[in-house]
């Protein structure tokens, strides 16, 4: 049987949401009042038919219905089917089964793992389709029995629960059992008898702690309601981040032993468990928006250790600087306490790169300051303190699209341009891996890319990914910006991913040709103001037709696994290279995709803003029509 061990919950949630595109007319008990307080991940579609209808009325929905997209859409559906099947062939449920019976809220939850694997649970309201649900359960029973599962019945709350002990294969079962029950007009599916018993008890009126009672869930829900009022969202989600990642890890093969500290454990030790909950809502075709989304991160203070780095400041200055070209793909700007970030970075650096030792970061700073062969610079006082708190990020892409088309520039406002210029010179001029270049009146410091240098590197294990944190002298260095170029201009410290992109920025001197003067930026800025983007910590503007172009073209060319873009690197880290370093295979048949000019006319501009609040952050965004 096909097995999926790495992306089980992502596939599970995605499969449920895509699969249950069915009619909906009645509402049963909200799922958060049935799921236990140990739920660490939750996704709910309140009204599936409305969600589908609203999505289909958006330009993206129209794109997916365009005849030229039919081969691509079919291939995408095939991928979803395979991911679903890889998990649910073990419990006898198919996409069509769920699609055929749902008629109310459909929700999926992942619970704390306890001593074993994290339990999964699906709740589907089958009001007006009980007969269909009974037929599905009969088919499931026949299929599982034929595959060698042993069926038994357990009585709970006066109901008969069907339990199937699943046969093992050579890898051991991903799920040990499948548990099914049709209680009145609610279909319950899980891999835990105890979870189902708890749901039945609550349906019977027993008062036990549920997800709706959990404080972070309540805080997230209340903050969302404060913004949206009493409106019913089309889709909502909630995560208890650290609990979620622990649950995901429990679903991996338990025989893969890890002896080293994981990325997750490090972040927990560094105070990031202060992020107690996160959740949000997504709606399609609302008012003048193609998509509108709201998210809340609940992280009450006081913060400790490296968590103090995330000190974002609400400000009022968000208009793109005159030097930002009009044709960029995206522009993000935010206000953050950079000195606080610098001062609290040390413990995190030590934990990730110090191999258990403390004070490694301080040793690095002391070396920069005291080493007679080094720059002899006090990095904190001579550079970081001379920077302001506004940070901007600009992205663009070279055409034609290749695996190295992405261009990125980070700009940090300088409190004193001359002093920052001197500090940069002092820091970089004696570095043998950096060369000095002159462009017009600007001095640019460019990184000389390594050829085949083998250097110590750190690989970090993140939940859902294989491998352990380790140091290796045989790993080729992977820099974030291997071709970085740095200069100080326009009152900013500018760090670009490529020299050519930096010089393009430096040539932008006509304010009339800046991003701020373009119609689509002004439309997005106006829309964000209407949505409440008053004094906030950050804002983002994106031209979705440009942002999506490189990803689309690389998939079409079958080269996404080789992408050097940030998205490409993330995908390859999450799903990509195996232990031998072999890149993942393309998952979608790119030859079936139409020319991008067909697609781009459906993708409008988008934007979002984030506000720093006493107990965390509130994020709200939208996409406009083309």
């Amino acid at each position: 049987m096909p097995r999926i061990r790495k992306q089980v919950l992502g596939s599970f949630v995605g499969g449920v949401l895509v699969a249950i595109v069915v009619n909906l007319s009645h509402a049963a008990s909200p799922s958060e009042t049935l799921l236990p307080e140990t739920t660490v991940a939750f996704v709910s579609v309140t009204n599936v038919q409305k969600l589908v209808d609203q999505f289909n009325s958006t330009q993206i929905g129209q794109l997916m219905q365009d005849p030229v997209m039919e081969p691509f859409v079919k291939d995408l559906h095939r991928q979803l089917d395979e991911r679903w099947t890889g998990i649910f062939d073990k419990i006898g449920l198919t996409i069509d089964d769920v699609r055929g019976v749902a008629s109310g809220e459909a929700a999926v939850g992942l619970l704390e793992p306890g001593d074993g694997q994290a339990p999964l649970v699906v709740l589907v309201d089958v009001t007006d389709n009980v007969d269909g649900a009974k037929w599905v359960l009969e088919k499931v029973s026949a299929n599982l029995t034929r595959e060698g599962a042993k069926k038994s019945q357990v009585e709970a709350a006066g109901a008969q629960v069907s339990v199937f002990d699943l046969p093992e294969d050579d890898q051991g079962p991903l799920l040990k059992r499948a548990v099914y029950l049709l209680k009145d007009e609610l279909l319950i599916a899980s891999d835990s008898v105890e979870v189902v018993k708890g749901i039945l008890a609550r349906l019977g009126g027993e008062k036990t702690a549920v997800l709706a009672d959990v404080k972070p869930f309540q805080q997230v829900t209340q903050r969302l309601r404060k913004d949206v009022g009493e409106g019913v969202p089309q889709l909502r989600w909630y995560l208890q981040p650290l609990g979620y990642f622990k649950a995901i890890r429990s679903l991996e093969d338990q025989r893969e032993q890890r002896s080293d500290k994981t990325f997750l454990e490090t972040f927990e030790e560094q105070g990031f468990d202060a992020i107690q909950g996160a959740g949000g809502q997504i709606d399609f075709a609302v008012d003048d928006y193609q998509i509108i989304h709201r998210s809340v991160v609940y992280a009450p203070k006081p913060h400790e250790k490296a968590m103090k780095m995330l000190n974002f400041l609400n400000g009022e200055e968000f208009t793109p600087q005159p030097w930002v070209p009009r044709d960029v793909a995206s522009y993000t700007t935010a206000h953050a306490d950079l000195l606080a970030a610098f001062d609290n970075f040390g413990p995190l650096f030590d934990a990730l790169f110090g191999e258990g030792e403390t004070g490694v970061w301080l040793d690095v700073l002391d070396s920069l300051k005291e080493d007679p062969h080094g720059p002899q610079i006090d990095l904190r006082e001579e550079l970081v303190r001379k920077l302001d708190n506004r940070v901007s990020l600009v992205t663009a892409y070279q055409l034609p699209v290749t695996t190295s088309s992405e261009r990125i520039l980070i700009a940090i406002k300088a409190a004193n341009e001359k002093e920052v210029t001197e500090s940069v010179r002092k820091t970089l001029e004696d570095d043998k891996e950096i060369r000095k270049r002159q462009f017009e009146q600007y001095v640019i410091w460019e990184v000389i890319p390594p050829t085949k240098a083998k250097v110590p590197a750190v690989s970090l294990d993140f939940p859902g990914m294989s491998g352990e944190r380790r140091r290796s002298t045989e790993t080729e260095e992977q820099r974030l910006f291997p071709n970085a170029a740095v200069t100080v201009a326009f009152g900013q410290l500018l760090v670009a991913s490529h020299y050519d992109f930096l010089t393009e920025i430096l040539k932008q001197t006509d304010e009339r040709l800046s991003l701020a003067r373009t119609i689509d930026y002004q439309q997005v800025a106006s829309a964000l103001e209407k949505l409440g983007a008053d004094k906030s910590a950050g804002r983002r503007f994106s031209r979705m037709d440009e942002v999506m172009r490189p990803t689309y073209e690389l998939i079409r060319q079958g080269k996404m696994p080789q992408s050097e873009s940030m998205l490409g690197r993330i995908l390859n880290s999450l799903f990509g290279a195996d232990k031998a370093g072999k890149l993942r295979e393309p998952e979608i048949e790119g030859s079936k995709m139409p020319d991008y000019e067909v697609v781009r006319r459906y993708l409008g501009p988008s934007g979002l803003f984030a506000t720093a609040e006493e107990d965390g952050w509130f994020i709200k965004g939208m996409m406009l029509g083309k």
Side-chain angles (χ1 to χ4, degrees), residues 3 21 40 42 59 113 133 153 188 210 212 216 249 276 298 347 389 405 419 486 503 530 611 615 622 624:
R3 308 308 304 272
V21 179
V40 294
F42 163 77
Q59 290 180 343
Q153 296 283 330
I188 306 170
V210 294
R249 187 175 177 186
Q276 297 180 20
Y298 178 63
N389 290 326
S405 285
E419 291 182 351
V486 180
T503 57
K530 291 179 180 179
T611 304
D615 289 334
M622 53 76 222
L624 299 175

PDB file of all heavy atoms in Angstrom, residues 3 21 40 42 59 113 133 153 188 210 212 216 249 276 298 347 389 405 419 486 503 530 611 615 622 624:
ATOM      1  N   ARG A   3       2.560   4.658   1.014  1.00  0.00           N
ATOM      2  CA  ARG A   3       2.763   5.186   2.357  1.00  0.00           C
ATOM      3  C   ARG A   3       3.263   6.619   2.280  1.00  0.00           C
ATOM      4  O   ARG A   3       4.156   6.940   1.512  1.00  0.00           O
ATOM      5  CB  ARG A   3       3.805   4.352   3.117  1.00  0.00           C
ATOM      6  CG  ARG A   3       3.513   2.879   3.119  1.00  0.00           C
ATOM      7  CD  ARG A   3       2.097   2.601   3.589  1.00  0.00           C
ATOM      8  NE  ARG A   3       1.868   3.161   4.882  1.00  0.00           N
ATOM      9  CZ  ARG A   3       2.123   2.515   6.015  1.00  0.00           C
ATOM     10  NH1 ARG A   3       2.600   1.310   5.982  1.00  0.00           N
ATOM     11  NH2 ARG A   3       1.878   3.064   7.178  1.00  0.00           N
ATOM     12  N   VAL A  21     -16.312  19.143  -1.468  1.00  0.00           N
ATOM     13  CA  VAL A  21     -16.966  20.192  -2.244  1.00  0.00           C
ATOM     14  C   VAL A  21     -18.382  19.689  -2.584  1.00  0.00           C
ATOM     15  O   VAL A  21     -18.610  19.118  -3.625  1.00  0.00           O
ATOM     16  CB  VAL A  21     -16.155  20.471  -3.523  1.00  0.00           C
ATOM     17  CG1 VAL A  21     -16.820  21.545  -4.356  1.00  0.00           C
ATOM     18  CG2 VAL A  21     -14.761  20.903  -3.142  1.00  0.00           C
ATOM     19  N   VAL A  40      -4.634  20.394  18.596  1.00  0.00           N
ATOM     20  CA  VAL A  40      -3.546  21.330  18.312  1.00  0.00           C
ATOM     21  C   VAL A  40      -3.613  21.893  16.897  1.00  0.00           C
ATOM     22  O   VAL A  40      -2.863  22.822  16.567  1.00  0.00           O
ATOM     23  CB  VAL A  40      -2.173  20.667  18.544  1.00  0.00           C
ATOM     24  CG1 VAL A  40      -1.987  20.334  20.021  1.00  0.00           C
ATOM     25  CG2 VAL A  40      -1.998  19.427  17.673  1.00  0.00           C
ATOM     26  N   PHE A  42      -6.716  22.649  13.663  1.00  0.00           N
ATOM     27  CA  PHE A  42      -8.151  22.606  13.398  1.00  0.00           C
ATOM     28  C   PHE A  42      -8.432  23.401  12.132  1.00  0.00           C
ATOM     29  O   PHE A  42      -7.953  24.526  11.968  1.00  0.00           O
ATOM     30  CB  PHE A  42      -8.862  23.224  14.601  1.00  0.00           C
ATOM     31  CG  PHE A  42     -10.293  23.633  14.369  1.00  0.00           C
ATOM     32  CD1 PHE A  42     -11.309  22.696  14.339  1.00  0.00           C
ATOM     33  CD2 PHE A  42     -10.633  24.970  14.196  1.00  0.00           C
ATOM     34  CE1 PHE A  42     -12.624  23.075  14.155  1.00  0.00           C
ATOM     35  CE2 PHE A  42     -11.941  25.367  14.013  1.00  0.00           C
ATOM     36  CZ  PHE A  42     -12.942  24.419  13.988  1.00  0.00           C
ATOM     37  N   GLN A  59     -11.798  35.603  -9.841  1.00  0.00           N
ATOM     38  CA  GLN A  59     -11.049  35.462 -11.089  1.00  0.00           C
ATOM     39  C   GLN A  59     -10.180  34.210 -11.079  1.00  0.00           C
ATOM     40  O   GLN A  59      -9.991  33.584 -12.126  1.00  0.00           O
ATOM     41  CB  GLN A  59     -10.219  36.720 -11.327  1.00  0.00           C
ATOM     42  CG  GLN A  59     -11.076  37.928 -11.664  1.00  0.00           C
ATOM     43  CD  GLN A  59     -10.272  39.189 -11.897  1.00  0.00           C
ATOM     44  OE1 GLN A  59      -9.111  39.282 -11.519  1.00  0.00           O
ATOM     45  NE2 GLN A  59     -10.896  40.177 -12.512  1.00  0.00           N
ATOM     46  N   PRO A 113      -0.171  14.146  20.723  1.00  0.00           N
ATOM     47  CA  PRO A 113       0.172  12.735  20.510  1.00  0.00           C
ATOM     48  C   PRO A 113       0.102  11.855  21.739  1.00  0.00           C
ATOM     49  O   PRO A 113      -0.022  10.636  21.624  1.00  0.00           O
ATOM     50  CB  PRO A 113       1.600  12.809  19.962  1.00  0.00           C
ATOM     51  CG  PRO A 113       2.140  14.109  20.456  1.00  0.00           C
ATOM     52  CD  PRO A 113       0.969  15.052  20.508  1.00  0.00           C
ATOM     53  N   ALA A 133     -24.607   8.249   3.887  1.00  0.00           N
ATOM     54  CA  ALA A 133     -23.542   8.005   4.855  1.00  0.00           C
ATOM     55  C   ALA A 133     -23.521   6.547   5.296  1.00  0.00           C
ATOM     56  O   ALA A 133     -22.451   5.940   5.450  1.00  0.00           O
ATOM     57  CB  ALA A 133     -23.721   8.927   6.051  1.00  0.00           C
ATOM     58  N   GLN A 153     -16.809  -4.317  17.389  1.00  0.00           N
ATOM     59  CA  GLN A 153     -17.762  -3.281  17.773  1.00  0.00           C
ATOM     60  C   GLN A 153     -17.515  -2.883  19.223  1.00  0.00           C
ATOM     61  O   GLN A 153     -17.283  -3.741  20.084  1.00  0.00           O
ATOM     62  CB  GLN A 153     -19.197  -3.785  17.618  1.00  0.00           C
ATOM     63  CG  GLN A 153     -19.599  -4.101  16.190  1.00  0.00           C
ATOM     64  CD  GLN A 153     -19.900  -2.852  15.383  1.00  0.00           C
ATOM     65  OE1 GLN A 153     -20.333  -1.850  15.915  1.00  0.00           O
ATOM     66  NE2 GLN A 153     -19.655  -2.908  14.084  1.00  0.00           N
ATOM     67  N   ILE A 188     -18.475  10.496  12.003  1.00  0.00           N
ATOM     68  CA  ILE A 188     -17.222  10.646  12.748  1.00  0.00           C
ATOM     69  C   ILE A 188     -16.243   9.603  12.243  1.00  0.00           C
ATOM     70  O   ILE A 188     -16.565   8.417  12.169  1.00  0.00           O
ATOM     71  CB  ILE A 188     -17.449  10.459  14.262  1.00  0.00           C
ATOM     72  CG1 ILE A 188     -18.555  11.390  14.764  1.00  0.00           C
ATOM     73  CG2 ILE A 188     -16.155  10.694  15.030  1.00  0.00           C
ATOM     74  CD1 ILE A 188     -18.990  11.098  16.192  1.00  0.00           C
ATOM     75  N   VAL A 210     -13.218  21.290  26.051  1.00  0.00           N
ATOM     76  CA  VAL A 210     -13.176  21.190  24.595  1.00  0.00           C
ATOM     77  C   VAL A 210     -12.315  22.314  24.029  1.00  0.00           C
ATOM     78  O   VAL A 210     -11.884  23.227  24.745  1.00  0.00           O
ATOM     79  CB  VAL A 210     -14.601  21.259  23.993  1.00  0.00           C
ATOM     80  CG1 VAL A 210     -15.401  20.046  24.404  1.00  0.00           C
ATOM     81  CG2 VAL A 210     -15.306  22.547  24.403  1.00  0.00           C
ATOM     82  N   ALA A 212     -13.112  24.814  22.310  1.00  0.00           N
ATOM     83  CA  ALA A 212     -13.719  26.134  22.514  1.00  0.00           C
ATOM     84  C   ALA A 212     -13.404  26.710  23.890  1.00  0.00           C
ATOM     85  O   ALA A 212     -13.542  27.930  24.102  1.00  0.00           O
ATOM     86  CB  ALA A 212     -15.230  26.049  22.328  1.00  0.00           C
ATOM     87  N   PRO A 216      -6.084  30.273  24.410  1.00  0.00           N
ATOM     88  CA  PRO A 216      -5.565  30.824  23.143  1.00  0.00           C
ATOM     89  C   PRO A 216      -6.587  30.778  22.015  1.00  0.00           C
ATOM     90  O   PRO A 216      -6.687  31.731  21.227  1.00  0.00           O
ATOM     91  CB  PRO A 216      -4.349  29.937  22.845  1.00  0.00           C
ATOM     92  CG  PRO A 216      -3.902  29.469  24.186  1.00  0.00           C
ATOM     93  CD  PRO A 216      -5.173  29.257  24.961  1.00  0.00           C
ATOM     94  N   ARG A 249       5.432  15.402  14.111  1.00  0.00           N
ATOM     95  CA  ARG A 249       6.607  14.543  14.270  1.00  0.00           C
ATOM     96  C   ARG A 249       6.217  13.154  14.748  1.00  0.00           C
ATOM     97  O   ARG A 249       6.832  12.152  14.377  1.00  0.00           O
ATOM     98  CB  ARG A 249       7.578  15.192  15.256  1.00  0.00           C
ATOM     99  CG  ARG A 249       8.895  14.455  15.351  1.00  0.00           C
ATOM    100  CD  ARG A 249       9.883  15.184  16.227  1.00  0.00           C
ATOM    101  NE  ARG A 249      11.108  14.425  16.347  1.00  0.00           N
ATOM    102  CZ  ARG A 249      12.107  14.758  17.137  1.00  0.00           C
ATOM    103  NH1 ARG A 249      12.014  15.839  17.871  1.00  0.00           N
ATOM    104  NH2 ARG A 249      13.185  14.022  17.193  1.00  0.00           N
ATOM    105  N   GLN A 276       1.320  31.062  21.778  1.00  0.00           N
ATOM    106  CA  GLN A 276       0.439  30.020  22.312  1.00  0.00           C
ATOM    107  C   GLN A 276      -0.638  29.578  21.326  1.00  0.00           C
ATOM    108  O   GLN A 276      -1.188  28.483  21.445  1.00  0.00           O
ATOM    109  CB  GLN A 276      -0.207  30.522  23.600  1.00  0.00           C
ATOM    110  CG  GLN A 276       0.788  30.807  24.713  1.00  0.00           C
ATOM    111  CD  GLN A 276       0.107  31.294  25.979  1.00  0.00           C
ATOM    112  OE1 GLN A 276      -1.086  31.089  26.183  1.00  0.00           O
ATOM    113  NE2 GLN A 276       0.865  31.954  26.834  1.00  0.00           N
ATOM    114  N   TYR A 298      -1.485  34.833  18.850  1.00  0.00           N
ATOM    115  CA  TYR A 298      -1.642  35.112  20.273  1.00  0.00           C
ATOM    116  C   TYR A 298      -0.343  34.766  20.989  1.00  0.00           C
ATOM    117  O   TYR A 298       0.028  33.596  21.103  1.00  0.00           O
ATOM    118  CB  TYR A 298      -2.802  34.312  20.852  1.00  0.00           C
ATOM    119  CG  TYR A 298      -3.004  34.498  22.337  1.00  0.00           C
ATOM    120  CD1 TYR A 298      -3.329  35.745  22.868  1.00  0.00           C
ATOM    121  CD2 TYR A 298      -2.882  33.425  23.226  1.00  0.00           C
ATOM    122  CE1 TYR A 298      -3.522  35.924  24.237  1.00  0.00           C
ATOM    123  CE2 TYR A 298      -3.073  33.584  24.586  1.00  0.00           C
ATOM    124  CZ  TYR A 298      -3.389  34.848  25.085  1.00  0.00           C
ATOM    125  OH  TYR A 298      -3.573  35.017  26.435  1.00  0.00           O
ATOM    126  N   PRO A 347      21.632  34.045  22.243  1.00  0.00           N
ATOM    127  CA  PRO A 347      21.260  32.700  22.704  1.00  0.00           C
ATOM    128  C   PRO A 347      20.760  31.799  21.579  1.00  0.00           C
ATOM    129  O   PRO A 347      21.032  30.594  21.581  1.00  0.00           O
ATOM    130  CB  PRO A 347      20.145  32.987  23.726  1.00  0.00           C
ATOM    131  CG  PRO A 347      20.424  34.372  24.208  1.00  0.00           C
ATOM    132  CD  PRO A 347      20.966  35.107  23.016  1.00  0.00           C
ATOM    133  N   ASN A 389      14.620  52.022  12.503  1.00  0.00           N
ATOM    134  CA  ASN A 389      13.798  50.845  12.721  1.00  0.00           C
ATOM    135  C   ASN A 389      12.924  50.452  11.536  1.00  0.00           C
ATOM    136  O   ASN A 389      12.079  49.572  11.659  1.00  0.00           O
ATOM    137  CB  ASN A 389      12.900  51.066  13.948  1.00  0.00           C
ATOM    138  CG  ASN A 389      13.692  51.066  15.241  1.00  0.00           C
ATOM    139  OD1 ASN A 389      14.668  50.343  15.368  1.00  0.00           O
ATOM    140  ND2 ASN A 389      13.276  51.894  16.192  1.00  0.00           N
ATOM    141  N   SER A 405      16.394  33.558 -11.640  1.00  0.00           N
ATOM    142  CA  SER A 405      15.810  34.843 -12.040  1.00  0.00           C
ATOM    143  C   SER A 405      15.478  35.759 -10.875  1.00  0.00           C
ATOM    144  O   SER A 405      15.381  36.967 -11.044  1.00  0.00           O
ATOM    145  CB  SER A 405      14.528  34.614 -12.857  1.00  0.00           C
ATOM    146  OG  SER A 405      14.830  34.180 -14.153  1.00  0.00           O
ATOM    147  N   GLU A 419      27.869  57.822   8.745  1.00  0.00           N
ATOM    148  CA  GLU A 419      28.416  56.920   9.752  1.00  0.00           C
ATOM    149  C   GLU A 419      28.183  55.460   9.368  1.00  0.00           C
ATOM    150  O   GLU A 419      29.060  54.611   9.584  1.00  0.00           O
ATOM    151  CB  GLU A 419      27.793  57.225  11.114  1.00  0.00           C
ATOM    152  CG  GLU A 419      28.239  58.576  11.676  1.00  0.00           C
ATOM    153  CD  GLU A 419      27.644  58.841  13.046  1.00  0.00           C
ATOM    154  OE1 GLU A 419      26.767  58.061  13.476  1.00  0.00           O
ATOM    155  OE2 GLU A 419      28.061  59.820  13.694  1.00  0.00           O
ATOM    156  N   VAL A 486      26.445  45.033  -1.440  1.00  0.00           N
ATOM    157  CA  VAL A 486      26.067  45.931  -0.349  1.00  0.00           C
ATOM    158  C   VAL A 486      26.560  47.343  -0.638  1.00  0.00           C
ATOM    159  O   VAL A 486      27.687  47.537  -1.114  1.00  0.00           O
ATOM    160  CB  VAL A 486      26.676  45.439   0.993  1.00  0.00           C
ATOM    161  CG1 VAL A 486      26.277  46.366   2.139  1.00  0.00           C
ATOM    162  CG2 VAL A 486      26.271  44.006   1.284  1.00  0.00           C
ATOM    163  N   THR A 503      22.516  47.799  -8.855  1.00  0.00           N
ATOM    164  CA  THR A 503      22.795  48.933  -9.750  1.00  0.00           C
ATOM    165  C   THR A 503      21.522  49.427 -10.436  1.00  0.00           C
ATOM    166  O   THR A 503      21.375  50.628 -10.678  1.00  0.00           O
ATOM    167  CB  THR A 503      23.840  48.551 -10.808  1.00  0.00           C
ATOM    168  OG1 THR A 503      23.375  47.408 -11.559  1.00  0.00           O
ATOM    169  CG2 THR A 503      25.172  48.220 -10.150  1.00  0.00           C
ATOM    170  N   LYS A 530      -9.078  51.233   3.887  1.00  0.00           N
ATOM    171  CA  LYS A 530     -10.488  50.930   4.157  1.00  0.00           C
ATOM    172  C   LYS A 530     -10.634  49.735   5.088  1.00  0.00           C
ATOM    173  O   LYS A 530     -11.600  49.640   5.854  1.00  0.00           O
ATOM    174  CB  LYS A 530     -11.228  50.657   2.853  1.00  0.00           C
ATOM    175  CG  LYS A 530     -11.392  51.883   1.968  1.00  0.00           C
ATOM    176  CD  LYS A 530     -12.121  51.526   0.673  1.00  0.00           C
ATOM    177  CE  LYS A 530     -12.280  52.744  -0.221  1.00  0.00           C
ATOM    178  NZ  LYS A 530     -12.960  52.402  -1.506  1.00  0.00           N
ATOM    179  N   THR A 611      -0.490  44.473  12.502  1.00  0.00           N
ATOM    180  CA  THR A 611      -0.503  45.407  13.619  1.00  0.00           C
ATOM    181  C   THR A 611       0.036  44.718  14.865  1.00  0.00           C
ATOM    182  O   THR A 611      -0.379  43.594  15.185  1.00  0.00           O
ATOM    183  CB  THR A 611      -1.929  45.914  13.897  1.00  0.00           C
ATOM    184  OG1 THR A 611      -2.453  46.504  12.710  1.00  0.00           O
ATOM    185  CG2 THR A 611      -1.934  46.935  15.016  1.00  0.00           C
ATOM    186  N   ASP A 615      -1.044  41.519  23.025  1.00  0.00           N
ATOM    187  CA  ASP A 615      -0.921  40.071  23.183  1.00  0.00           C
ATOM    188  C   ASP A 615      -0.526  39.356  21.897  1.00  0.00           C
ATOM    189  O   ASP A 615      -0.809  38.166  21.739  1.00  0.00           O
ATOM    190  CB  ASP A 615      -2.232  39.485  23.706  1.00  0.00           C
ATOM    191  CG  ASP A 615      -2.481  39.850  25.159  1.00  0.00           C
ATOM    192  OD1 ASP A 615      -1.501  40.104  25.875  1.00  0.00           O
ATOM    193  OD2 ASP A 615      -3.655  39.888  25.564  1.00  0.00           O
ATOM    194  N   MET A 622      -5.937  41.224   1.490  1.00  0.00           N
ATOM    195  CA  MET A 622      -6.926  40.959   0.453  1.00  0.00           C
ATOM    196  C   MET A 622      -6.238  40.908  -0.907  1.00  0.00           C
ATOM    197  O   MET A 622      -5.080  41.271  -1.054  1.00  0.00           O
ATOM    198  CB  MET A 622      -8.007  42.035   0.468  1.00  0.00           C
ATOM    199  CG  MET A 622      -7.519  43.466   0.399  1.00  0.00           C
ATOM    200  SD  MET A 622      -6.973  43.999  -1.216  1.00  0.00           S
ATOM    201  CE  MET A 622      -5.496  44.923  -0.770  1.00  0.00           C
ATOM    202  N   LEU A 624      -7.286  42.094  -4.954  1.00  0.00           N
ATOM    203  CA  LEU A 624      -8.236  42.798  -5.797  1.00  0.00           C
ATOM    204  C   LEU A 624      -8.375  42.093  -7.140  1.00  0.00           C
ATOM    205  O   LEU A 624      -7.517  41.289  -7.525  1.00  0.00           O
ATOM    206  CB  LEU A 624      -7.780  44.242  -6.019  1.00  0.00           C
ATOM    207  CG  LEU A 624      -7.650  45.120  -4.773  1.00  0.00           C
ATOM    208  CD1 LEU A 624      -7.075  46.477  -5.147  1.00  0.00           C
ATOM    209  CD2 LEU A 624      -8.997  45.280  -4.073  1.00  0.00           C
TER     210      LEU A 624
END
